[in-house]
């Protein structure tokens, strides 16, 4: 074990960056450029640091690694960090998307640049914190703290209905999380600790599990989001600036999936088994209903937002099968969705920057003028509809495989979702990209700039890499997952 | 060598796609044409070599490249697995693909994005090779969806045409419906066998013969379930009845694409799947009956539509659909060798017909309606001759390739006692007349008689260049000779050593086939020829008279049995309506209305009322105190 507190470093780098940036005082174009550069380098530095974390990760150790444990509030509420194979990948996903977000906002953010960048860096610290906290109180702080910068990002730099959307987003998630806070307080009094490692081996009584599970579920189901608590997501996405959507779809939704894996099924296995059919049903409704809704959308971002709900439906399906394949599939699906949906929102951002509309009808025939863009967009559309060889397939396949072994009804319905995904994705692509170029305002549209190409290249690479050779990723996930599955089965029997 | 067969098309695709991003100029076009074509030609030569090598000395070659997906006990690798079935498929794929690549140099010479087209063709070839060289079901699925993607890209190649875009999407989605079955089959195979490797699954098949599985509430025989689900996949890809609607529309793509993908290779993947899984199908008589039934029905149904179509490519497309039905009949009756044999010969004569049709379309300035052609045979003699070769092969003219393979199927159907064999025999025998009729109808309407073209266009009809006609000639050789050359290996005396356990070869005692059964297909073929000749050469008014007399029937056939309209009514529009209702009513009205928005307005409402109470007037407050006091007093009086 390395003694260097690398996780705390990851948390600290963005905050230190903010201190640097607050030194830049002037309010002119030069200062703005410096601010952007600083933020970019800070986030890139954090990405490098997370890679260092990844490469010094011990693949054969299923326990939490890089653990830091300090006294904090009292003997049982502590500053306790650590990662396993699941959380480490989500941390790297976060640090990867952050520089991309900042780069994507270079030209599209026109005012209050400093505040915008600071919001993102604060958000980064919170998101990393969520994935490496091993204490419930700490987790809750990071989980809820993330709402504040996101609230500002949508509410200040968003579109026309930004105030409505941001309040909806904030209050909705907050309302869900209140129950989780109550549950955490209860756990503290009952189990005497909020240490996650201890709690994972603590046995709650059946009725305790029942209520505690529901309380955590309330928070996570809103966040992930599951049908019927998903309506904040399309609104939030539509109004958020491009980078906001990228983070929202790429990382924020995964916090809930991570929560399900780490807390719900780990601490309350009996209740999880009891509620699994309900989760399956809601996931299936989400997959089919939101896919059908995506089919009739007129707004590009809304379509992708609804498809996100459907994709996250696969994640919850996989987690609650309690099988190795299911949970691994869910994690891979989360990572893949983090890359692909982020990229799709970036794709929308590209044309939004040029034409300032997201209406599908306003586009058409872009391939005539934007071959590179069409190429990138095509790859992410294919990954989104789960074509084998792209990252979208691996997770979906494992999830469907596991759900088939649990219940064939759900498997049949979930597989229908794959057909629908092809329909809305290809329909969107056709309307925007194919056809003759006839609309006047599209005549002078420019293809991807160098900066945009730099943004897309790593995402394209990862999409194929995970799709064709996912072994390195699975190698990281597998020990942690089998540990979780073993823990559940041990508790259930 | 095995690696290079697989990898060369991929490299060709990658190079060509990079080239497609450069500004159009002739040297880049030429580079992409030469690179992709030569790579495929090399691949074809290698395939042919390993095919012949295998005939002399059968052996199975299995190479694992690297692990793809694993999770717990589940594992699937990228692999190359070569047994006889694979080798036959490789020859068909690379051979036809090489000729189509070369043909496309001429056919697409005026197109503005040549590298993109050549790249897509190579991508398709790569995916198809991945499909057939898989040693597990997951790589098969990769190839399966990969060819679907390439087909989507190529059908929609002319992306400015809205009809091409719709056809491309339709093809992909209808195929996905089939893939849905295939995916479920793969899950079921993993649950039952604990593996998705061919070897493990096929060797264990017999052992799991009576295992049952619960599937959506029913307890079913596992093997039966798997076979039905696999066949749903095959139906989608091979455009069988109910999932056939995409194939005719796919003709929106450039003609070389139709020849390669929608005649010779991709659409036969379904047949390949059934033959590949013959150890499973063979122990599932009920699924076999279903395969026979669907195959025979498609063979008949598609032929009836083919009778009246007027688009040169659609006639051939329905003919493909129908011939695929023949292959499924053979497979369903357990004659896997005959199915593969027909697949093999069909690839050549059908690709020949399609490429010939492409040459015709080229000659008559992109016209596809055969009612607007006629009398051009003398201007394009080579194309005419090649089309005639293809036609006699498909009608089953004695000693051509089609004759051997089709006869084998008809005889199997006659001799078999499996379920639906009589049904199949009757329908496919009727199909023979129709096949011959629509094929000759096409020939007569296009090449013979008085022209129905404008003077000006007619005078400009010209033969295609050598780069297009030479591939035709090579295919024609195949259409004439390959049946005779290979019949002993595929279905005859050497079949057992040729197939080398890669498929199940049944030994049935040689029944004596009555001579009239033997000669009937030939006679029927000539009957079809005669009717076509009479209606379109001798008495040209007859055709329209018959159409007028049987108007409802004619309309029914012309509109393809109204399948598109039916699906539109039953599936497409309900899906859109449900989507709209779910969105506008459920999401926005009910969930938002009672959820966040409802609570928000409730909160505003309540606080507005609460606000009114706090008016600031002393007498309001005094009044409230008075009421409160009296209530308290009342309460205490009654309590005690």
């Amino acid at each position: 074990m390395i003694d260097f507190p690398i996780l705390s470093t990851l948390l600290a780098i963005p905050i230190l960056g903010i201190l640097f940036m607050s030194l830049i005082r002037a309010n002119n174009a030069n200062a703005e450029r410096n601010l952007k550069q600083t933020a970019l380098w800070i986030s890139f530095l954090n990405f490098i640091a997370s890679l260092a974390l990844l490469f010094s990760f011990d693949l054969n150790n299923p326990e939490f690694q890089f653990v830091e444990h300090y006294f904090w509030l009292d003997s049982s509420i502590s500053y306790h960090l650590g990662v396993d194979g699941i959380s480490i990948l989500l941390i790297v996903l976060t640090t990867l998307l952050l520089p991309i977000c900042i780069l994507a906002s270079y030209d599209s953010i026109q005012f209050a640049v400093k505040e915008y960048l600071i919001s993102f860096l604060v958000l980064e610290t919170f998101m990393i914190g969520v994935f490496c906290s091993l204490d419930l109180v700490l987790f809750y702080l990071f989980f809820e703290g993330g709402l504040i910068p996101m609230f500002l990002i949508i509410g200040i730099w968003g579109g026309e209905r930004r105030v409505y959307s941001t309040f909806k987003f904030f209050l909705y998630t907050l309302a869900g999380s209140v129950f989780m806070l109550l549950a955490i307080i209860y756990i503290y009094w009952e189990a005497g600790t909020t240490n996650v490692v201890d709690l994972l081996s603590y046995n709650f009584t059946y009725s305790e599990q029942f209520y505690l599970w529901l309380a955590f579920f309330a928070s996570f189901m809103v966040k992930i989001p599951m049908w019927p608590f998903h309506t904040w997501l399309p609104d939030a996405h539509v109004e958020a600036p491009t980078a906001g959507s990228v983070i929202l779809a790429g990382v924020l939704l995964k916090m809930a999936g991570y929560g399900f894996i780490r807390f719900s099924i780990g601490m309350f296995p009996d209740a999880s088994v009891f509620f699994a059919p309900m989760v399956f049903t809601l996931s299936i409704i989400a997959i089919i209903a939101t896919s059908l809704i995506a089919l009739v959308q007129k707004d590009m971002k809304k379509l992708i937002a609804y498809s996100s709900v459907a994709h996250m439906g696969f994640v919850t399906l996989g987690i609650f099968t309690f099988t190795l394949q299911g949970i691994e599939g869910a994690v891979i699906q989360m990572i893949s969705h983090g890359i692909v949906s982020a990229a799709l929102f970036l794709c929308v951002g590209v044309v939004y920057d040029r034409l300032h509309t997201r209406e599908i009808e306003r586009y058409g025939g872009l391939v005539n003028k934007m071959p590179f863009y069409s190429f990138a967009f095509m790859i992410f559309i294919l990954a989104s509809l789960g074509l084998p060889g792209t990252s979208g397939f691996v997770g979906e396949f494992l999830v469907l495989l596991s759900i088939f072994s649990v219940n064939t009804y759900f498997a049949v319905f979930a597989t229908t979702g794959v057909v629908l995904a092809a329909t809305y994705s290809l329909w969107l692509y056709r309307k925007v990209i194919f056809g003759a170029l006839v609309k006047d305002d599209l005549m002078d549209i420019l293809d991807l700039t160098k900066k945009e190409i730099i943004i897309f290249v790593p995402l394209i690479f990862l999409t194929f890499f995970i799709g064709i050779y996912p072994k390195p990723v699975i190698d990281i996930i597998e020990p942690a997952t089998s540990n979780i599955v073993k823990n559940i089965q041990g508790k259930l029997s | 060598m095995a690696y290079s067969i697989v990898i060369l098309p991929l490299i060709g695709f990658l190079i060509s796609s990079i080239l497609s991003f450069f500004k159009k100029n002739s040297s880049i076009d030429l580079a992409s044409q030469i690179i992709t074509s030569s790579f495929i030609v090399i691949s074809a030569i290698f395939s042919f070599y390993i095919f012949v090598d295998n005939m002399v000395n059968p052996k199975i070659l299995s190479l694992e490249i690297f692990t793809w997906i694993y999770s717990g006990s589940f594992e699937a690798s990228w692999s190359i697995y070569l047994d006889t079935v694979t080798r036959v498929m490789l020859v068909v794929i690379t051979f036809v693909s090489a000729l189509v690549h070369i043909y496309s140099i001429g056919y697409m010479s005026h197109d503005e994005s040549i590298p993109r087209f050549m790249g897509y063709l190579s991508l398709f070839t790569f995916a198809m090779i991945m499909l057939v060289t898989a040693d597990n079901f997951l790589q098969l699925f990769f190839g399966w969806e990969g060819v679907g993607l390439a087909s989507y890209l190529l059908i929609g190649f002319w992306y400015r045409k809205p009809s091409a875009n719709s056809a491309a999407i339709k093809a992909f989605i209808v195929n996905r419906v089939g893939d849905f079955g295939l995916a479920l089959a793969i899950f079921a195979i993993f649950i039952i066998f604990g593996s998705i490797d061919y070897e493990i699954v096929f060797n264990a098949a017999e052992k799991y013969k009576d295992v049952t599985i619960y599937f959506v509430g029913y307890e079913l025989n596992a093997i039966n379930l798997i076979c039905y689900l696999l066949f749903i996949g095959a139906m989608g890809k091979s455009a069988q009845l109910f999932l056939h609607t995409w194939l005719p529309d796919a003709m929106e793509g450039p003609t070389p694409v139709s020849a390669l993908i929608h005649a010779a290779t991709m659409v036969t993947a379904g047949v390949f799947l059934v033959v590949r899984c013959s150890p499973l199908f063979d122990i599932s008589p009920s699924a076999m009956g279903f395969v026979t039934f669907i195959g025979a029905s498609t063979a008949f149904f598609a032929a009836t539509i083919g009778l009246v179509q007027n688009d040169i490519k659609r006639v051939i497309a329905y003919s493909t659909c129908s011939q695929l039905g023949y292959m499924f009949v053979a497979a369903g009756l357990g004659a896997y060798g005959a199915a593969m044999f027909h697949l093999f010969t069909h690839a050549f004569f059908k690709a020949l017909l399609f490429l010939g049709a492409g040459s015709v379309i080229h000659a008559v300035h992109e016209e596809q309606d055969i009612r607007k052609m006629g009398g051009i045979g003398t201007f394009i003699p080579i194309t005419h001759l090649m089309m005639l070769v293809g036609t006699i092969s498909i009608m089953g003219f004695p000693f051509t390739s089609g004759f051997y393979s089709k006869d084998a199927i008809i005889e199997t159907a006659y001799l078999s006692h499996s379920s639906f064999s009589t049904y199949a025999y009757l329908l496919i025998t009727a199909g023979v007349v129709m096949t011959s009729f629509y094929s000759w109808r096409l020939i007569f309407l296009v090449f013979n008689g008085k022209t129905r073209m404008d003077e000006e266009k007619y005078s400009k009809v010209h033969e295609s260049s050598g780069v297009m006609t030479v591939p035709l000639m090579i295919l024609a050789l195949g259409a004439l000779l390959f049946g005779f050359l290979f019949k002993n290996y595929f279905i005859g005396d050497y079949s057992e050593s040729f197939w080398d356990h890669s498929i199940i070869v049944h030994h049935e005692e040689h029944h004596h086939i009555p001579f009239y059964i033997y000669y009937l297909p030939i006679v029927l073929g000539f009957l079809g020829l005669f009717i076509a000749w009479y209606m379109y050469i001798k008495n040209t008014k007859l055709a329209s008279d018959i159409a007028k007399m049987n108007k409802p029937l004619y309309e029914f056939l012309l509109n393809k049995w109204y399948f598109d309209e039916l699906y539109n009514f039953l599936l497409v529009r309900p899906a859109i309506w449900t989507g709209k209702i779910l969105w506008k009513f459920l999401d926005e009205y009910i969930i938002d209305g009672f959820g966040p928005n409802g609570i928000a307005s409730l909160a505003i409402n309540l606080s507005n009322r609460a606000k009114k109470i706090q008016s600031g007037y002393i007498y309001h407050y005094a009044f409230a105190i008075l009421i409160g006091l009296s209530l308290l007093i009342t309460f205490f009086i009654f309590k005690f």
Side-chain angles (χ1 to χ4, degrees), chain A residues 30-309:
Chain A
N30 237 342
E32 270 187 16
R33 210 194 59 227
N34 288 339
L35 282 168
K36 286 169 183 165
Q37 297 277 8
T38 317
L40 182 64
W41 282 110
I42 292 290
S43 61
F44 191 69
L45 181 67
N46 221 17
F47 174 59
I48 301 292
S50 72
L51 284 186
L53 178 76
L54 189 65
F55 285 116
S56 48
F57 184 77
D58 179 8
L59 288 181
N60 299 315
N61 181 1
E63 302 298 323
F64 290 103
Q65 302 182 28
F66 311 104
V67 175
E68 294 170 37
H69 201 158
Y70 303 105
F71 177 81
W72 183 27
L73 289 181
D74 68 11
S75 59
S76 48
I77 301 178
S78 50
Y79 178 83
H80 189 182
L81 304 178
V83 288
D84 67 353
I86 296 171
S87 43
I88 195 171
L89 287 174
L90 291 167
I91 288 175
V92 176
L93 177 70
T94 311
T95 54
L96 167 74
L97 286 179
L98 238 280
I100 287 177
C101 281
I102 290 171
L103 208 54
S105 324
Y106 253 48
D107 303 323
S108 52
I109 297 303
Q110 307 291 348
F111 64 95
V113 176
K114 188 170 168 183
E115 289 76 4
Y116 179 84
L117 295 169
I118 288 175
S119 301
F120 266 95
L121 290 175
V122 172
L123 188 57
E124 179 172 25
T125 295
F126 283 136
M127 290 186 299
I128 296 172
V130 165
F131 294 127
C132 64
S133 305
L134 289 181
D135 185 283
L136 279 179
V137 176
L138 197 61
F139 171 81
Y140 184 79
L141 276 181
F142 285 129
F143 191 81
E144 289 303 283
L147 282 180
I148 301 162
M150 201 64 214
F151 174 76
L152 297 176
I153 289 168
I154 299 176
I156 297 174
W157 295 276
E160 266 169 40
R161 291 178 73 225
R162 57 178 181 267
V163 176
Y164 169 79
S165 296
T166 198
F167 271 96
K168 195 173 178 182
F169 158 73
F170 191 90
L171 293 177
Y172 224 136
T173 29
L174 189 70
S177 300
V178 168
F179 294 102
M180 183 165 73
L181 181 62
L182 287 176
I184 291 173
I185 293 169
Y186 180 85
I187 289 172
Y188 174 74
W189 290 114
E190 196 57 35
T193 181
T194 53
N195 185 334
V196 174
V197 182
D198 294 342
L199 287 171
L200 284 176
S201 52
Y202 185 87
N203 284 313
F204 292 96
T205 66
Y206 196 81
S207 58
E208 274 175 343
Q209 284 195 23
F210 188 88
Y211 293 108
L212 291 175
W213 188 92
L214 278 178
F216 275 83
F217 184 67
S219 169
F220 296 147
M221 88 177 299
V222 170
K223 194 95 178 183
I224 203 165
M226 283 175 88
W227 190 90
F229 296 102
H230 64 282
T231 52
W232 63 269
L233 186 71
D235 281 325
H237 269 309
V238 166
E239 300 307 326
T242 302
S245 288
V246 169
I247 281 297
L248 188 57
V251 186
L252 287 185
L253 306 187
K254 275 72 196 176
M255 298 184 351
Y258 173 76
F260 276 131
I261 297 177
R262 177 72 71 232
F263 305 115
S264 294
I265 64 171
M267 296 196 300
F268 322 119
D270 294 301
S272 299
V273 172
F274 177 81
F275 284 113
M278 182 188 84
V279 176
F280 290 155
T281 314
L282 291 179
S283 309
I284 294 292
I285 295 177
I287 290 172
I288 295 185
T290 50
S291 298
L292 285 171
I293 295 173
L295 214 51
V296 292
Q297 292 306 311
K298 298 180 177 69
D299 183 307
M300 292 161 85
K301 264 189 160 179
K302 237 178 181 166
L303 193 152
I304 300 168
Y306 272 112
S307 86
S308 283
V309 181

Side-chain angles (χ1 to χ4, degrees), chain A residues 164 168 228 230-231 297 306 324-325 328 367-368 385 388 397 400 405 408-409 418 434-435 467-468 470 474-475, chain B residues 66 68 70-72 74 78 138 142 145 159-160 166 172 176 180 187 191 215-216 579 583 587 591-592 597:
Chain A
Y164 169 79
K168 195 173 178 182
H230 64 282
T231 52
Q297 292 306 311
Y306 272 112
L324 193 65
Q325 282 98 9
E328 280 184 14
V367 65
N368 297 294
L385 62 81
F397 178 80
L400 290 171
S405 67
T408 46
Y409 279 106
V418 179
F434 285 148
I468 293 170
I474 302 176
D475 281 340
Chain B
F66 58 84
W68 182 15
Y70 82 90
S71 172
F74 179 87
W78 297 109
L138 201 65
F142 169 82
E145 293 248 304
Y159 51 77
R160 292 199 187 89
S166 313
F172 196 88
R176 267 254 155 154
F180 161 83
F187 305 146
I191 302 301
F215 184 72
V216 293
W583 176 34
D587 262 27
I591 294 178
D592 269 359
N597 295 354

Side-chain angles (χ1 to χ4, degrees), chain A residues 374-389:
Chain A
S374 308
F375 173 74
F377 199 6
M378 171 60 95
I379 284 168
F380 298 122
I381 283 283
L382 293 176
S384 157
L385 62 81
L387 192 86

